[in-house]
Amino acid sequence: MNEIQKSNFILIREAICNSISCSPVRYGAIKVVTPFLDWLGESVSIYITEDGNVTDGERTLNQIKALRAYDEFVEWPDRVDYFADYNINPIGNSLDIQYLDSPEDILRYIQGVSRLPMLFEANPKSDKEDRFPTIVRNATMEYLMNEYPNRPSVDAFQWANKLCRPYLIPTKTGIKIHSDMHPVNKNKNVQIIGMANATKSAKDAHVASKLYNSLYWKKTNRMATTIVVVSDISIYSEDSQSAMQEEANPLIQIKDGKIAQKMLAIEVAEA
């Protein structure tokens, strides 16, 4: 090994080692942030419980459920072999480490849980009304990539794509809150409300189910705010309108065109 090779090797080793951190979480466990990235481009975190068990904290299967691919995962013929190859021990919804005897065991496990969601395609919802969130995300991505003044000069697509993806927000109680987009500010969640052509009762139920996320989250995070996105609020009943106006900060109506696109882009891209 010459001096240049040695110097670069040291840089690579330090970059990997210095990217690992830990912090205390609930129930006496610690969270370990690794330098590996998951399918969303975020650092993979694992947890060490008080009794020394290493687990993903149910994160991996929750991601697969968010893709609406859990049925495919359950029926996947290679599931058992995959778990064996990557040192994974499934316990309920958690994917724990099977053996902790060597560095290779640990690396196999981390790679296994980080890669698993990428093996499954996201399944679109069957209800045609659910196309509205996709329309909103695509329009917001277009604005972020082409018109947002603070967009990055490189990798603008990856940056905008991450902001517009659905996101599961962890809470102190362990329940994950679904956000229809992924704002930079972790205290924000986005609820895109569709069902514009459904019956009144169906629309009311849809609004109630979407706003439940924000109501629950506020109980555990006093900084939480909800961005409500609708096509046109006047389409909904008075009760639903009142509920949306009360919870929204802000309420964005897509009927406002470019103004709405700009508002939503700012909300997701700025802290």
Side-chain angles (χ1 to χ4, degrees):
M1 181 187 300
N2 62 37
E3 288 303 314
I4 294 177
Q5 291 172 321
K6 182 179 179 180
S7 175
N8 287 342
F9 167 73
I10 292 172
L11 285 174
I12 293 170
R13 183 178 62 189
E14 289 180 349
I16 294 173
C17 294
N18 292 341
S19 296
I20 300 175
S21 63
C22 71
S23 59
V25 290
R26 301 177 68 216
Y27 306 121
I30 63 171
K31 175 181 178 180
V32 180
V33 180
T34 78
F36 300 96
L37 301 180
D38 64 14
W39 66 289
L40 293 171
E42 297 183 345
S43 296
V44 174
S45 296
I46 57 176
Y47 302 85
I48 305 175
T49 64
E50 200 168 19
D51 60 1
N53 187 42
V54 178
T55 177
D56 74 333
E58 303 186 4
R59 174 183 174 135
T60 310
L61 294 189
N62 279 333
Q63 289 180 340
I64 292 175
K65 289 175 183 177
L67 292 169
R68 296 179 295 278
Y70 187 71
D71 289 344
E72 285 85 347
F73 165 76
V74 171
E75 297 173 1
W76 185 34
D78 298 327
R79 181 161 53 102
V80 174
D81 288 341
Y82 184 91
F83 287 161
D85 290 342
Y86 286 99
N87 194 31
I88 295 171
N89 180 30
I91 304 293
N93 287 325
S94 296
L95 300 183
D96 297 355
I97 196 167
Q98 179 72 48
Y99 304 108
L100 196 57
D101 300 326
S102 69
E104 290 77 13
D105 289 339
I106 299 169
L107 291 174
R108 282 166 51 214
Y109 170 75
I110 296 173
Q111 290 174 344
V113 296
S114 65
R115 292 173 179 173
L116 187 57
M118 293 186 287
L119 301 177
F120 300 93
E121 293 284 341
N123 289 318
K125 295 180 181 178
S126 59
D127 191 336
K128 65 180 181 181
E129 299 294 343
D130 288 316
R131 294 176 184 172
F132 180 63
T134 301
I135 293 171
V136 171
R137 292 189 191 101
N138 289 343
T140 307
M141 274 194 65
E142 190 73 21
Y143 184 91
L144 286 167
M145 289 189 296
N146 299 309
E147 300 184 54
Y148 181 68
N150 297 324
R151 63 187 181 275
S153 57
V154 295
D155 294 330
F157 174 81
Q158 288 84 351
W159 166 78
N161 185 44
K162 179 179 178 180
L163 293 176
C164 294
R165 287 176 177 174
Y167 174 53
L168 288 174
I169 304 169
T171 68
K172 295 178 181 178
T173 62
I175 294 176
K176 305 293 194 301
I177 302 299
H178 176 85
S179 174
D180 289 315
M181 298 177 76
H182 193 165
V184 169
N185 187 332
K186 301 305 181 186
N187 290 317
K188 294 181 178 180
N189 82 91
V190 179
Q191 297 299 322
I192 302 174
I193 296 177
M195 303 287 286
N197 298 320
T199 64
K200 175 185 177 300
S201 59
K203 284 189 288 190
D204 285 346
H206 176 65
V207 171
S209 68
K210 298 293 285 185
L211 295 185
Y212 174 81
N213 284 291
S214 62
L215 288 168
Y216 182 85
W217 194 28
K218 284 181 179 179
K219 291 183 178 180
T220 63
N221 179 5
R222 62 184 180 85
M223 302 295 292
T225 60
T226 298
I227 304 154
V228 173
V229 184
V230 294
S231 175
D232 181 348
I233 193 173
S234 67
I235 294 171
Y236 300 86
S237 70
E238 291 184 4
D239 288 342
S240 289
Q241 290 183 44
S242 297
M244 285 188 278
Q245 289 168 337
E246 183 176 347
E247 291 301 317
N249 184 24
L251 188 145
I252 299 173
Q253 299 186 72
I254 298 302
K255 71 174 185 177
D256 294 332
K258 191 66 72 176
I259 294 174
Q261 282 185 331
K262 181 178 180 181
M263 285 179 64
L264 185 52
I266 291 172
E267 287 293 338
V268 298
E270 299 180 8

